[in-house]
């Protein structure tokens, strides 16, 4: 058996992540490898921390990428902030809140679950009631952008509740960072984690985190050792933060992956955070216009809908998997399937980072309409004019 190099097909990625990447990011990744303690590399790490502070809108010194995917950022927060017996209010309105609960349990905490229907944002009223009923709770954990449903929760209001009830907040910003407004300092977020492959448009495998003073104080006061060696922030900091002019080897940093994240963050900084948020919104509106023109509906109300993750209800009688397979085979276009109670009932169309552009919106609408029209599920010819009209309206209102 002779093996040859792997050459992946060229796809357009409009699912729940990974998202399409700017070619500059892939080019950065192929630059020469250097040592993970090389002064040149350390200089890049210092810049990376500043770029991440910009993306998170924070001055938190403890802002760095964990060397593993978003799930590891989640686990870093829970491993360091939860001790056996700690009561944690955990909000579940989709897949990722459920994973937070599992993290609490695995680190010996006692979860107090606040549940909302899939597709709904986290209810601040229910959270307030749970905090009142559990005055001994010391942490509040929730997901900003629930990728399984496309619902956006109110970070500012929830973090304010956490503070009022003397709780430290843990926020999942894996899908929100770079795509929708997020102000870590202004909104009083204590601990937050994200992922590289969603709206940051980098390769998967890194998880930016930012930990504020209140959360650090909690870690300092731990009665027990952090049960994970790899994710123990005290050790991770030894490498990422200089102490007495020295940096300690903890693990070998994923050097070239970090070049990629650095480049992705430089691109975000060049565009500007607000401009990136506005771009996600603009292309979402055009996609929405086309989807609605086809007679399809969204799972989430307009008020709580994420622009970067569009959950579209599958029309009655349509085999959703057959549609996704046709999009992949004929248009090399990937969109996502539903999860949990919405498996088989929604498509998840991502407009994340570099993938949030007009070309992708028109490709997706045209391809989806063609496939659905062949199944006699929609009337052809309506989606693209609606999207174009939305874009034209935007252009006019900007010029006015
Ligand atoms: C994707 C995602 C994660 C997990 O990130 P991985 O990089 O897949 O480990 C966690 N939370 C949310 C909200 C996500 O969308």
């Amino acid at each position: 058996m002779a093996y040859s190099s792997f050459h992946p097909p060229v796809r357009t990625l409009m699912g729940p992540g990974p998202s399409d990447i700017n070619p500059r990011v892939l080019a950065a990744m192929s630059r020469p490898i250097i040592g993970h303690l090389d002064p040149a590399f350390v200089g890049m790490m210092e810049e990376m921390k500043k770029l991440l502070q910009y993306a998170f809108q924070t001055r938190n010194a403890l802002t760095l990428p964990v060397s593993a995917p978003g799930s590891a950022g989640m686990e870093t927060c829970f491993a360091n902030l939860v001790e056996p017996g700690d009561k944690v209010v955990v909000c579940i309105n989709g897949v990722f809140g459920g994973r937070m609960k599992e993290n609490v349990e695995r680190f010996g905490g006692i979860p107090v679950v606040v549940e909302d229907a899939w597709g709904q944002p986290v209810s601040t009223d229910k959270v307030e009631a749970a905090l009142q009923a559990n005055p001994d709770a010391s942490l509040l954990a929730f997901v900003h952008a629930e990728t399984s449903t496309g619902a956006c929760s109110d970070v500012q209001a929830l973090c304010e509740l956490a503070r009022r009830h003397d709780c430290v907040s843990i926020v999942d910003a894996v899908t929100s960072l770079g795509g929708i407004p997020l102000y870590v300092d202004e909104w009083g977020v204590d601990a937050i984690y994200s992922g590289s492959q969603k709206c940051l448009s980098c390769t998967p495998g890194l998880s930016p985190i930012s930990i504020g003073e209140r959360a650090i104080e909690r870690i300092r006061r731990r009665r027990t050792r952090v049960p994970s060696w790899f994710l123990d922030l005290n050790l991770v900091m030894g490498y990422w933060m200089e102490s007495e002019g020295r940096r300690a080897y903890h693990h070998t940093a994923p050097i070239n992956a970090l070049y990629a994240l650095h480049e992705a963050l430089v691109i975000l900084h060049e565009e500007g955070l607000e401009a990136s948020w506005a771009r996600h919104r603009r292309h979402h509106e055009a996609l929405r216009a086309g989807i609605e023109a086809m007679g399809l509906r969204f799972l989430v109300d307009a008020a709580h809908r994420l622009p970067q993750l569009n959950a579209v209800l599958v029309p009655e009688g349509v085999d959703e998997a057959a549609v996704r397979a046709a999009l992949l085979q004929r248009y090399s276009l990937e969109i996502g399937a539903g999860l949990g109670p919405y498996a088989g009932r929604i498509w998840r169309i991502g407009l994340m980072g570099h993938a949030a552009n007009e070309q992708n919106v028109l490709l997706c609408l045209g391809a989806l309409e063609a496939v659905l029209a062949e199944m006699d599920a929609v009337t052809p010819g309506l989606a693209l004019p609606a999207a174009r009209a939305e874009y034209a309206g935007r252009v006019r209102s900007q010029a006015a």
Side-chain angles (χ1 to χ4, degrees), residues 157-168:
L158 290 166
C159 287
E160 210 177 288
L161 280 175
R163 293 207 170 201
R164 215 180 307 140
H165 291 268
D166 219 12
C167 284
V168 165

Side-chain angles (χ1 to χ4, degrees), residues 19-342:
S19 63
D20 279 336
I21 292 175
N22 188 312
R24 279 173 58 184
V25 172
L26 287 177
M29 220 169 179
S30 66
R31 287 179 196 142
I33 188 163
I34 56 176
H36 61 108
L37 290 167
D38 187 306
F41 190 71
V42 168
M44 190 280 292
M45 289 164 73
E46 288 304 301
E47 246 185 57
M48 165 99 71
K49 287 194 279 185
K50 292 209 177 67
L51 286 163
L52 282 176
Q53 286 173 336
Y54 170 71
F56 278 120
Q57 292 287 288
T58 182
R59 289 171 199 264
N60 289 339
L62 185 44
T63 301
L64 51 83
V66 172
S67 301
S71 305
M74 180 187 286
E75 199 149 330
T76 299
C77 288
F78 288 94
N80 284 272
L81 289 166
V82 176
E83 283 188 90
D86 286 351
K87 221 182 212 189
V88 185
V89 175
V90 186
C91 307
I92 302 185
N93 61 338
V95 164
F96 294 100
R99 289 194 182 174
M100 286 180 139
K101 171 175 178 268
E102 190 166 326
N103 267 270
V104 170
E105 289 166 348
R106 284 179 185 239
F107 292 111
I110 303 161
V112 175
V113 173
V114 172
E115 210 157 355
D116 281 290
W118 286 46
Q120 296 291 320
V122 171
S123 155
T124 49
D125 289 345
K126 285 189 199 169
V127 168
E128 180 152 39
L131 290 169
Q132 265 159 8
N134 296 276
D136 52 340
S138 58
L139 288 165
L140 169 68
F142 65 90
V143 178
H144 183 193
E146 194 26 280
T147 321
S148 60
T149 67
C152 181
S153 292
D154 187 341
V155 174
Q156 187 171 23
L158 290 166
C159 287
E160 210 177 288
L161 280 175
R163 293 207 170 201
R164 215 180 307 140
H165 291 268
D166 219 12
C167 284
V168 165
S169 55
I170 299 179
V171 180
D172 179 317
V174 175
T175 285
S176 59
L177 188 67
I180 48 173
L182 171 62
Y183 299 93
V184 165
D185 286 359
E186 202 180 312
W187 290 353
V189 176
D190 296 312
I192 192 162
Y193 59 89
S194 188
S196 50
Q197 78 277 27
K198 305 214 176 162
C199 293
L200 296 181
S201 284
C202 182
T203 46
L206 291 168
S207 178
I209 60 168
S210 185
I211 313 290
E213 230 359 273
R214 293 173 80 235
I216 291 173
E217 189 50 39
R218 187 182 166 92
I219 296 171
R220 278 203 199 101
R221 288 202 317 263
R222 282 185 68 100
R223 307 173 299 275
T224 59
R225 208 153 63 148
V226 173
S228 164
W229 177 85
F230 186 65
L231 301 177
D232 185 339
L233 281 173
N234 291 301
L235 302 179
V236 173
M237 270 190 284
Y239 174 54
W240 274 91
M241 330 273 272
E242 209 157 280
S243 164
E244 287 156 13
R246 292 190 30 222
R247 271 169 210 270
Y249 160 67
H250 174 242
H251 63 278
T252 309
I255 293 157
N256 294 53
L258 288 169
Y259 298 166
L261 182 60
H262 181 273
E263 188 72 9
L265 292 167
V266 166
I267 292 169
L268 179 64
H269 190 262
E270 282 171 3
E271 179 179 21
L273 255 188
E274 288 81 2
S276 174
W277 299 337
R279 175 169 54 80
H280 283 84
R281 174 61 55 189
R282 182 164 73 249
H283 296 297
H284 158 75
E285 291 300 346
L287 182 75
R288 175 201 52 75
I291 291 289
E292 288 177 351
M294 279 190 267
L296 305 181
R297 290 184 305 116
F298 280 80
L299 170 65
V300 179
D301 287 349
H304 305 111
R305 207 177 278 162
L306 293 169
Q308 67 272 47
L309 196 288
N310 297 267
V312 176
L313 294 162
V314 176
E316 205 63 41
V318 168
D319 174 356
E320 75 80 25
V323 172
R324 280 186 296 109
L327 293 177
L328 194 67
Q329 280 160 19
R330 287 163 52 190
Y331 300 92
S332 211
L333 170 65
E334 180 183 278
I335 65 169
L339 298 174
Y342 283 98

